Amino acid sequence: MSDDLDTAIDEVRAFNRLYTRLIGVLDYPGRLHTPYTLSEARILYELAQRERAHVSALRDDLGLTAAHMSRTLGRFEEQGLITRERNVHDARHQQVSLTAEGRAAAAELDRKSRESVARLLARLDRPQLRRLREALATTRGVFSGEPERVRLRGPGPGDLGWIVQRHGVLYAKEFGWNGEFEALVARIVGEFGTDPGYERAWIAELGGRPVGSVLCVRDEAPETARLRLLLVEPDARGFGIGDRLVGACVKFAREAGYRELVLWTNDVLTAARRIYQRAGFELIAERRHHSYGADLVGQDWRLTLRGR
């Protein structure tokens, strides 16, 4: 056994001991003040998510033995929580449904469970909650093999500062740009929410952590919106996040009634330019300039949203 695996085993076991103590597994069902054991509560919960369930499928989903499942369903039936019937297509298989009383019991269990977790999380501040969500998403992805989910949302507390910080770090690392660029981003972000011309902003989340951003603002030209501050973290590229952010900006600008959407970028940002091209933007002008400590070629791009 490798040292890494041995250490991982110890860490997982230590986490299990901590978490089971925090949620009171050893004190179940007393913790939630219900008459059901942990496995009974899980069965009720799963049944509540379905109109009816095949017993064999339910058993496989929960990893329970046939004998355990049969005993539990027998008790539920005696208590009036479920009804059982044979599958009309295959009499060898049973189907189970919750009665009205069973659904009420499952709803009460769910309410008490949510309240218990809410009390556990109430001690955490927003940054700690974000760290927890990121860690949970990573853990789910590792064990399930499922790809991390991408979600677009509006900015929350701390996100505007994150946009400035990540632009400053990434552009310095990838292109060698100096603090002038970070100062520009800080000015743009600082005006967001105070200037009525700043329409919308989106944060992209991957597995619960922020990995991208874009802003849509009103331009000086009439009936024109401007796309600003598109960013995707290096380790989140390849998930189509840039396309989704630009797509959200285009959709918003079109629905808001703008005639065109414009943006300014630099030719070294090749990945971003490909995203703009896929969205239908056209290059309309180029100009050499020296900014952020580098010689660059600035580019103006335009997307027509509706006719004049």
Side-chain angles (χ1 to χ4, degrees):
M1 185 178 295
S2 69
D3 290 341
D4 286 345
L5 179 58
D6 202 38
T7 301
I9 290 172
D10 290 339
E11 290 173 345
V12 169
R13 294 183 66 197
F15 173 78
N16 286 342
R17 291 193 295 272
L18 169 66
Y19 190 62
T20 53
R21 178 176 60 80
L22 286 174
I23 64 174
V25 167
L26 300 180
D27 190 35
Y28 207 96
R31 175 91 169 189
L32 297 183
H33 307 289
T34 77
Y36 306 109
T37 66
L38 184 59
S39 65
E40 288 172 343
R42 281 297 314 278
I43 293 172
L44 278 175
Y45 175 82
E46 291 299 329
L47 287 174
Q49 310 311 305
R50 322 173 193 199
E51 188 64 30
R52 60 177 53 85
H54 293 284
V55 173
S56 58
L58 184 64
R59 186 177 64 239
D60 292 342
D61 289 346
L62 295 175
L64 298 175
T65 66
H68 186 117
M69 180 64 74
S70 179
R71 288 195 299 270
T72 301
L73 293 180
R75 287 194 295 273
F76 284 173
E77 194 169 28
E78 291 174 359
Q79 296 165 7
L81 302 179
I82 66 166
T83 59
R84 289 194 279 189
E85 60 184 13
R86 294 292 176 183
N87 189 315
V88 295
H89 301 293
D90 189 342
R92 295 172 299 176
H93 297 286
Q94 282 188 334
Q95 290 181 317
V96 183
S97 300
L98 285 177
T99 62
E101 186 177 349
R103 291 201 173 275
E108 179 67 6
L109 270 174
D110 186 63
R111 182 187 66 80
K112 289 183 175 181
S113 179
R114 291 185 65 85
E115 289 177 352
S116 176
V117 175
R119 289 192 294 270
L120 175 64
L121 300 182
R123 68 187 72 174
L124 306 181
D125 58 25
R126 284 184 177 273
Q128 289 173 319
L129 280 173
R130 176 173 292 172
R131 286 178 55 204
L132 176 64
R133 291 180 57 208
E134 292 173 2
L136 291 173
T138 299
T139 303
R140 284 195 304 270
V142 168
F143 284 107
S144 69
E146 296 176 353
E148 294 182 293
R149 292 182 296 175
V150 177
R151 182 172 77 99
L152 301 190
R153 59 170 175 78
D159 284 328
L160 298 182
W162 177 85
I163 292 175
V164 177
Q165 190 264 347
R166 295 313 295 160
H167 272 81
V169 170
L170 291 180
Y171 280 83
K173 181 178 180 180
E174 296 185 355
F175 303 104
W177 292 4
N178 62 24
E180 294 175 12
F181 178 68
E182 186 173 354
L184 170 65
V185 175
R187 178 177 61 79
I188 295 170
V189 169
E191 293 171 352
F192 181 80
T194 60
D195 186 329
Y198 278 65
E199 295 272 28
R200 288 287 299 276
W202 292 266
I203 299 294
E205 282 190 349
L206 179 63
R209 63 188 176 96
V211 294
S213 67
V214 73
L215 271 64
C216 183
V217 307
R218 186 178 304 138
D219 195 58
E220 295 178 356
E223 298 185 279
T224 301
R226 181 170 291 273
L227 184 153
R228 309 199 79 166
L229 302 185
L230 175 67
L231 175 138
V232 178
E233 291 279 6
D235 65 346
R237 294 167 189 170
F239 290 90
I241 294 173
D243 291 290
R244 288 192 57 180
L245 286 167
V246 171
C249 192
V250 170
K251 182 176 183 291
F252 169 81
R254 180 174 284 117
E255 293 177 348
Y258 286 106
R259 180 171 52 83
E260 60 184 22
L261 180 63
V262 300
L263 64 90
W264 181 81
T265 187
N266 288 280
D267 67 342
V268 295
L269 306 180
T270 55
R273 284 178 16 234
R274 287 195 292 269
I275 293 173
Y276 302 142
Q277 289 173 319
R278 287 195 295 271
F281 283 86
E282 297 179 343
L283 178 63
I284 58 174
E286 289 187 303
R287 181 177 62 85
R288 295 185 179 278
H289 66 106
H290 183 87
S291 302
Y292 326 129
D295 292 319
L296 302 167
V297 177
Q299 297 180 329
D300 289 294
W301 293 73
R302 179 175 62 200
L303 173 65
T304 301
L305 302 174
R306 61 179 176 85
R308 293 181 181 275

